[in-house]
Each structure stands twice: as structure tokens, then as C-alpha cells.
Amino acid sequence: MAGMENTGIHTGTDQPTLSPADAAEFAQQLHDTAGPHIGRPPVPVLVYEPGASLRERREAFRAVYEAVVARIGEPTLYGGSSGGPNVRWRGSGRLVLLSGDRQRAQLSVHDTVVLEEEEHRTFEWGGAWTGGEPHDFDFLPYVWQLDRGGPGERPTSRPGGRLAAGLDHVESSLELLLAAWVEQLAVQVGTDWTSFCLTSAADRGRQLLVSYSLEDGLHASIDDRDAPDGQERAQLMLARGWQSCDRGWWQTDFADPDRADAAALARLVVTELRARGTREPEELRARDVSCKDRGDMWLPGLGVRH
């Protein structure tokens, strides 16, 4: 990375970072001449302010991401982990990775097969056997991934998603996923919405919808049209955490969400599932997973099958 050592800027810590333009130039080196860089540690391109919120990290990351995309093109795979973005420019021999956690964002390049085999092992062999054990959704390589047919080569297989060992773990995994969406989605897909529908074998035919977009925020709604009308029902649903009812659908919205709102929505969803008879994650399915009906959205960190 010759010529970039003295071009760093500071972000409230003692660690310099690359300017967006220099990060983009380095990304092009990794993309075009990966060989000398494979196996080397990731290079930080951005350090966040201590205690930065999801929104603050999102906006800080935006300048770096947009500069890299302007230089090397749209990624092959959009995505992110519970800690930060995980964006991939993938070829059969090399994979450029723009990733992050709660402290920094960094660029690296990897042998595609080596990295993906390591990740597949993480998905395959981690996790908890029972609901009383700690989960590891926050250590997965990515909790969401989106393929919109961009440049590069698609993976021929995907690792199995981590299944939750209990409903408490479903609540945790959903919180992590929603927080990741709040921080990561808008930078990568703009104002496009993303959503999925949860169904349960314990309450067949009922839909519980979860969605997020930059314009509308976090949203959950449930079909309650078969319930009896009246003040008693309304008080019950409000006590569970629902905010309003529209034509038999109860809904809750957080227009400008942060981590606490992601936790609140996850808690509401699992509370409602329990109240309607769900006891085990095996009873749940995530259906109609989509990002504005364009591309293939996958949620390996949700904790339920889909």
C-alpha cells in the first residue's frame, strides 16, 4: 500500500484511517492484483468514534463504501454480520472483503475456497445444543446476505443456517439481525425495503411480518382478524407491546430505530409467538424473505428455517 502511509485521517481515536479515496485505491489493488495480499491481515480503512450508535456507524461507513463501489463496481454479495458489514467482490480464486465490527471497517483479500470452507465449518459446527447454553449468532461470519446478480461469481453452495436451540435464542438472533439491518442495509441497498414472514406450526395460517427500510424504519405486524373485537382484546395486544390496529392487523413501528428498538421489536415478536402456542424454534419458518423482490436474500443468522 505504498504511498498511503501518511494520508490517514483521525476519527477521535489515536488510530489513523485511510481516506475514502485511498481506501478505494487499495480495494482496486486487492481486486486486480490479489496475489501479494492474500494471507495478510485486514487493513483498517475506518475507525468509529467510541460508543458510536448504529446510525452513526452507518453514516461513517457510507463514504468508504461508496468510494470503493465507484472504483471497483457493485459487489457480488451484499451482507453483514452482527458486528458490522460484510461485503464481497467474489471470484473463483480471490474474494475481496469489506468488513467491519463495532470499532472499525477494514479491507482484505482471501483465497475464495479457503475462506468459504472455514466459514462453512463455523456454520456447521458451532451453536448451542440446548436453550440453556450460550448462543453464537454474534460470532457468525454473516447473519444476512443478498445476491442481486452483480459482477463476480456466485457460490455453488451455501452453508447451513444456524438454528436456534430455544425461543430465547430466537429473540437474540432476531435482535442481532434487526440491528444489523439498521446499521448496514441503507448503505448497501439505499431505500429498498427488506422483509420476511414468520409462520408457526402451532398457529397454522397466521402471518407475522417483520420489515425494515430507511424510509419506514423497523416494522412488525400480525394478522389478528379472527380474534374477537372489543376493549379486552385491545388491552391484551397493547400490553404485549403492539401499538395500533388497522383492519385486524396489529402493528408496531420504530421510525428511526437504534439497538434498543431492535431489541424491543424482537422481544415483541417472540412474546407474540409464545402467546399463540409456539414452544420450539423447530415450529417456525421464515417465508417470503425478500429485499424489494429483487435478488436472493438469505438470513443464516435468523435462527429458524427458511
Side-chain angles (χ1 to χ4, degrees), residues 172-228:
S172 296
S173 64
L174 181 56
E175 175 188 343
L176 292 170
L177 174 66
L178 296 178
W181 279 359
V182 171
E183 178 181 350
Q184 301 157 18
L185 266 173
V187 174
Q188 299 181 45
V189 303
T191 59
D192 289 358
W193 53 262
T194 190
S195 68
F196 60 90
C197 171
L198 282 175
T199 62
S200 174
D203 189 24
R204 292 189 183 278
R206 193 175 310 280
Q207 294 184 336
L208 199 166
L209 304 177
V210 179
S211 67
Y212 173 74
S213 74
L214 182 64
E215 292 182 334
D216 298 327
L218 283 173
H219 167 89
S221 59
I222 189 164
D223 185 355
D224 198 48
R225 289 173 294 180
D226 59 343

XYZ file of all heavy atoms in Angstrom, residues 172-228:
435
model
N -32.800 -13.418 20.625
C -31.453 -12.849 20.499
C -31.019 -12.735 19.042
O -30.470 -11.706 18.626
C -30.442 -13.709 21.267
O -30.708 -13.693 22.650
N -31.252 -13.802 18.275
C -30.827 -13.783 16.874
C -31.603 -12.736 16.083
O -31.040 -12.045 15.224
C -31.005 -15.165 16.247
O -32.370 -15.550 16.203
N -32.890 -12.587 16.363
C -33.687 -11.583 15.670
C -33.225 -10.176 16.033
O -33.132 -9.303 15.162
C -35.168 -11.765 16.010
C -36.144 -10.796 15.337
C -36.011 -10.821 13.825
C -37.576 -11.111 15.764
N -32.922 -9.949 17.294
C -32.397 -8.644 17.691
C -31.105 -8.314 16.941
O -30.926 -7.204 16.428
C -32.141 -8.620 19.194
C -31.468 -7.332 19.671
C -31.044 -7.379 21.127
O -31.529 -8.257 21.872
O -30.212 -6.543 21.524
N -30.186 -9.293 16.873
C -28.918 -9.065 16.182
C -29.144 -8.784 14.697
O -28.492 -7.911 14.112
C -28.006 -10.270 16.364
C -27.489 -10.509 17.781
C -26.804 -11.870 17.869
C -26.537 -9.404 18.214
N -30.061 -9.539 14.080
C -30.346 -9.336 12.664
C -30.935 -7.949 12.415
O -30.504 -7.238 11.501
C -31.306 -10.407 12.169
C -31.816 -10.229 10.734
C -30.676 -10.373 9.730
C -32.936 -11.223 10.429
N -31.915 -7.548 13.218
C -32.562 -6.256 13.011
C -31.575 -5.105 13.240
O -31.583 -4.110 12.502
C -33.772 -6.113 13.931
C -34.913 -7.101 13.679
C -36.027 -6.883 14.695
C -35.448 -6.996 12.264
N -30.736 -5.224 14.254
C -29.727 -4.196 14.488
C -28.751 -4.114 13.317
O -28.333 -3.026 12.907
C -28.980 -4.477 15.795
N -28.386 -5.276 12.768
C -27.509 -5.283 11.596
C -28.180 -4.595 10.418
O -27.542 -3.817 9.689
C -27.134 -6.720 11.233
N -29.462 -4.859 10.192
C -30.175 -4.184 9.107
C -30.169 -2.671 9.278
O -29.944 -1.930 8.329
C -31.610 -4.695 9.046
C -31.766 -5.996 8.323
C -30.780 -6.724 7.713
C -32.981 -6.724 8.131
N -31.313 -7.865 7.155
C -32.653 -7.890 7.393
C -34.294 -6.507 8.511
C -33.609 -8.826 7.017
C -35.258 -7.440 8.148
C -34.918 -8.586 7.412
N -30.434 -2.209 10.497
C -30.474 -0.769 10.748
C -29.133 -0.127 10.396
O -29.078 0.938 9.789
C -30.844 -0.484 12.214
C -30.682 0.999 12.544
C -32.286 -0.922 12.490
N -28.049 -0.782 10.778
C -26.723 -0.221 10.509
C -26.295 -0.383 9.055
O -25.682 0.523 8.485
C -25.684 -0.887 11.414
C -24.270 -0.397 11.153
C -23.220 -1.065 12.027
O -23.595 -1.779 12.987
O -22.023 -0.866 11.757
N -26.627 -1.504 8.422
C -25.948 -1.887 7.186
C -26.770 -1.754 5.912
O -26.215 -1.473 4.842
C -25.487 -3.349 7.321
C -24.547 -3.579 8.489
C -24.536 -5.017 8.968
O -24.960 -5.932 8.260
N -24.068 -5.238 10.184
N -28.070 -1.979 5.982
C -28.849 -2.119 4.749
C -28.880 -0.853 3.916
O -28.703 -0.902 2.696
C -30.277 -2.559 5.070
C -30.552 -4.054 5.027
C -31.947 -4.349 5.535
C -30.388 -4.612 3.619
N -29.139 0.278 4.542
C -29.350 1.500 3.765
C -28.114 1.882 2.960
O -28.229 2.397 1.841
C -29.752 2.648 4.687
N -26.926 1.629 3.503
C -25.703 1.944 2.765
C -25.593 1.074 1.523
O -25.215 1.541 0.442
C -24.471 1.761 3.665
C -23.184 1.936 2.857
C -24.504 2.750 4.820
N -25.974 -0.199 1.654
C -25.756 -1.146 0.568
C -26.893 -1.188 -0.444
O -26.658 -1.450 -1.627
C -25.516 -2.542 1.147
C -24.282 -2.607 2.041
C -24.019 -3.993 2.593
O -24.085 -4.995 1.879
N -23.707 -4.069 3.871
N -28.142 -0.960 0.004
C -29.281 -1.073 -0.922
C -30.146 0.180 -0.951
O -31.234 0.178 -1.526
C -30.161 -2.301 -0.583
C -29.332 -3.577 -0.607
C -30.870 -2.136 0.762
N -29.687 1.277 -0.364
C -30.426 2.532 -0.415
C -31.737 2.453 0.353
O -31.787 1.985 1.483
N -32.805 2.911 -0.263
C -34.107 2.941 0.405
C -34.921 1.667 0.196
O -36.080 1.603 0.612
C -34.929 4.143 -0.089
O -35.108 4.039 -1.513
C -34.230 5.457 0.246
N -34.360 0.655 -0.431
C -35.087 -0.594 -0.647
C -35.483 -1.216 0.691
O -34.691 -1.253 1.635
C -34.235 -1.596 -1.422
C -34.052 -1.194 -2.874
O -34.623 -0.171 -3.281
O -33.332 -1.920 -3.583
N -36.701 -1.734 0.752
C -37.168 -2.432 1.944
C -36.709 -3.884 1.916
O -36.422 -4.439 0.858
C -38.701 -2.387 2.051
C -39.408 -2.880 0.813
C -39.918 -2.119 -0.194
C -39.660 -4.250 0.433
N -40.482 -2.918 -1.171
C -40.344 -4.227 -0.812
C -39.395 -5.483 1.022
C -40.760 -5.388 -1.470
C -39.802 -6.647 0.364
C -40.475 -6.596 -0.854
N -36.668 -4.481 3.082
C -36.469 -5.925 3.181
C -37.424 -6.469 4.228
O -37.749 -5.790 5.199
C -35.013 -6.281 3.521
O -34.807 -7.681 3.370
C -34.643 -5.869 4.924
N -37.902 -7.686 4.018
C -38.922 -8.222 4.912
C -38.946 -9.740 4.869
O -38.393 -10.362 3.957
C -40.308 -7.680 4.537
O -40.716 -8.190 3.281
N -39.611 -10.317 5.855
C -39.905 -11.743 5.858
C -41.156 -11.971 6.685
O -41.599 -11.100 7.449
C -38.731 -12.582 6.392
C -38.332 -12.268 7.805
C -38.914 -12.934 8.879
C -37.363 -11.317 8.071
C -38.550 -12.654 10.178
C -36.990 -11.021 9.366
C -37.579 -11.688 10.427
N -41.726 -13.155 6.544
C -42.941 -13.551 7.245
C -42.624 -14.767 8.108
O -42.064 -15.739 7.609
C -44.044 -13.874 6.243
S -45.519 -14.612 6.966
N -42.943 -14.697 9.384
C -42.794 -15.845 10.270
C -44.118 -16.583 10.386
O -45.169 -15.963 10.600
C -42.341 -15.403 11.661
C -40.863 -15.062 11.855
C -40.633 -14.527 13.262
C -39.972 -16.273 11.595
N -44.068 -17.901 10.247
C -45.240 -18.737 10.483
C -44.856 -19.815 11.483
O -43.677 -20.156 11.638
C -45.748 -19.393 9.191
O -44.727 -20.262 8.663
C -46.109 -18.339 8.151
N -45.863 -20.337 12.165
C -45.620 -21.356 13.188
C -46.559 -22.530 12.998
O -47.760 -22.345 12.752
C -45.821 -20.765 14.587
O -45.729 -21.771 15.574
N -46.035 -23.721 13.163
C -46.859 -24.923 13.100
C -47.875 -24.961 14.234
O -48.888 -25.663 14.156
C -45.972 -26.172 13.159
N -47.607 -24.199 15.302
C -48.532 -24.152 16.427
C -49.719 -23.236 16.169
O -50.677 -23.243 16.943
C -47.793 -23.688 17.685
N -49.659 -22.453 15.108
C -50.722 -21.473 14.820
C -50.835 -21.343 13.308
O -50.583 -20.286 12.733
C -50.360 -20.142 15.471
C -51.483 -19.122 15.427
O -52.654 -19.534 15.331
O -51.189 -17.917 15.483
N -51.188 -22.437 12.667
C -51.108 -22.538 11.214
C -51.970 -21.484 10.516
O -53.083 -21.187 10.943
C -51.530 -23.933 10.760
C -50.547 -25.023 11.180
C -50.875 -26.350 10.545
N -49.976 -27.402 11.000
C -48.763 -27.615 10.504
N -48.305 -26.850 9.531
N -48.017 -28.603 10.972
N -51.401 -20.951 9.443
C -52.119 -19.993 8.621
C -51.937 -18.548 9.024
O -52.293 -17.642 8.262
N -51.368 -18.304 10.200
C -51.213 -16.921 10.650
C -49.874 -16.350 10.184
O -48.858 -17.032 10.210
C -51.303 -16.820 12.172
C -51.470 -15.364 12.646
C -51.692 -15.308 14.156
N -52.742 -16.224 14.582
C -54.037 -15.964 14.480
N -54.451 -14.819 13.936
N -54.927 -16.845 14.894
N -49.874 -15.101 9.790
C -48.662 -14.432 9.334
C -48.235 -13.363 10.343
O -49.059 -12.588 10.819
C -48.886 -13.769 7.971
C -49.145 -14.740 6.847
C -49.258 -14.030 5.511
O -49.583 -12.848 5.447
N -48.990 -14.744 4.447
N -46.936 -13.374 10.642
C -46.322 -12.322 11.445
C -45.226 -11.719 10.586
O -44.240 -12.384 10.277
C -45.772 -12.895 12.750
C -45.494 -11.913 13.889
C -45.284 -12.648 15.208
C -44.302 -11.007 13.621
N -45.396 -10.490 10.167
C -44.489 -9.839 9.226
C -43.469 -8.978 9.958
O -43.810 -8.272 10.914
C -45.277 -8.969 8.251
C -46.382 -9.656 7.446
C -47.125 -8.645 6.580
C -45.809 -10.768 6.590
N -42.230 -9.008 9.482
C -41.155 -8.173 10.014
C -40.478 -7.502 8.829
O -40.177 -8.163 7.825
C -40.129 -9.011 10.808
C -39.006 -8.124 11.330
C -40.805 -9.748 11.964
N -40.224 -6.197 8.929
C -39.604 -5.497 7.802
C -38.762 -4.333 8.299
O -38.893 -3.868 9.439
C -40.667 -4.978 6.824
O -41.442 -3.957 7.415
N -37.897 -3.874 7.395
C -37.094 -2.677 7.662
C -36.810 -1.955 6.361
O -36.559 -2.577 5.325
C -35.749 -3.016 8.329
C -34.872 -1.785 8.438
C -35.149 -0.808 9.384
C -33.822 -1.564 7.545
C -34.393 0.351 9.454
C -33.061 -0.405 7.618
C -33.345 0.552 8.567
O -32.607 1.708 8.623
N -36.846 -0.638 6.407
C -36.303 0.205 5.344
C -35.869 1.517 5.972
O -36.340 1.895 7.059
C -37.336 0.466 4.242
O -38.325 1.387 4.674
N -34.979 2.217 5.308
C -34.507 3.501 5.823
C -35.659 4.488 5.948
O -35.746 5.254 6.914
C -33.423 4.062 4.899
C -32.806 5.394 5.338
C -32.075 5.235 6.663
C -31.860 5.921 4.263
N -36.573 4.473 4.987
C -37.667 5.441 4.983
C -38.728 5.127 6.036
O -39.299 6.040 6.635
C -38.311 5.485 3.599
C -37.392 6.063 2.527
C -38.055 6.139 1.169
O -38.987 5.329 0.924
O -37.663 6.991 0.366
N -39.003 3.838 6.275
C -40.101 3.456 7.167
C -39.645 2.921 8.519
O -40.470 2.765 9.423
C -40.966 2.397 6.482
C -41.605 2.916 5.203
O -41.930 4.116 5.149
O -41.753 2.115 4.252
N -38.378 2.617 8.673
C -37.881 2.084 9.927
C -38.212 0.617 10.120
O -38.505 -0.110 9.176
N -38.168 0.175 11.375
C -38.491 -1.204 11.728
C -40.000 -1.351 11.900
O -40.654 -0.472 12.469
C -37.797 -1.609 13.027
C -36.303 -1.936 12.963
C -35.757 -2.139 14.375
C -36.051 -3.179 12.112
N -40.527 -2.494 11.450
C -41.970 -2.711 11.488
C -42.259 -4.181 11.761
O -41.561 -5.070 11.269
C -42.584 -2.326 10.136
C -43.999 -2.784 9.958
N -45.079 -2.020 10.353
C -44.520 -3.927 9.438
C -46.201 -2.672 10.084
N -45.895 -3.832 9.520
N -43.273 -4.431 12.562
C -43.823 -5.771 12.725
C -45.338 -5.663 12.717
O -45.906 -4.680 13.205
C -43.344 -6.422 14.016
N -45.993 -6.658 12.163
C -47.458 -6.698 12.165
C -47.919 -8.138 12.185
O -47.211 -9.036 11.719
C -48.036 -5.966 10.948
O -47.569 -6.533 9.741
N -49.114 -8.359 12.741
C -49.660 -9.709 12.822
C -51.137 -9.691 12.480
O -51.884 -8.770 12.852
C -49.435 -10.330 14.222
C -49.819 -11.815 14.215
C -50.163 -9.553 15.306
C -49.293 -12.589 15.383
N -51.539 -10.709 11.770
C -52.928 -10.868 11.367
C -53.744 -11.349 12.571
O -53.586 -12.472 13.039
C -53.007 -11.887 10.225
C -54.412 -12.030 9.661
O -55.354 -11.418 10.210
O -54.558 -12.763 8.663
N -54.625 -10.489 13.058
C -55.453 -10.818 14.219
C -56.936 -10.695 13.881
O -57.775 -10.479 14.750
C -55.102 -9.874 15.381
C -55.561 -10.394 16.733
O -55.310 -11.571 17.030
O -56.173 -9.609 17.491
N -57.265 -10.863 12.586
C -58.640 -10.638 12.145
C -59.618 -11.672 12.673
O -60.832 -11.427 12.695
C -58.691 -10.613 10.612
C -58.038 -9.365 10.008
C -57.960 -9.451 8.501
N -57.061 -10.518 8.066
C -56.822 -10.804 6.788
N -57.426 -10.111 5.834
N -55.987 -11.780 6.477
N -59.108 -12.822 13.117
C -60.012 -13.841 13.628
C -60.276 -13.709 15.124
O -61.012 -14.506 15.702
C -59.460 -15.236 13.327
C -58.077 -15.457 13.936
O -57.417 -14.461 14.300
O -57.651 -16.624 14.028
N -59.681 -12.711 15.759
C -59.866 -12.509 17.195
C -61.162 -11.743 17.461
O -61.621 -10.970 16.614
C -58.682 -11.742 17.778
N -61.736 -11.915 18.631
C -62.939 -11.154 18.957
C -62.631 -9.667 19.112
O -61.572 -9.289 19.626
C -63.390 -11.760 20.293
C -62.146 -12.365 20.868
C -61.343 -12.845 19.709
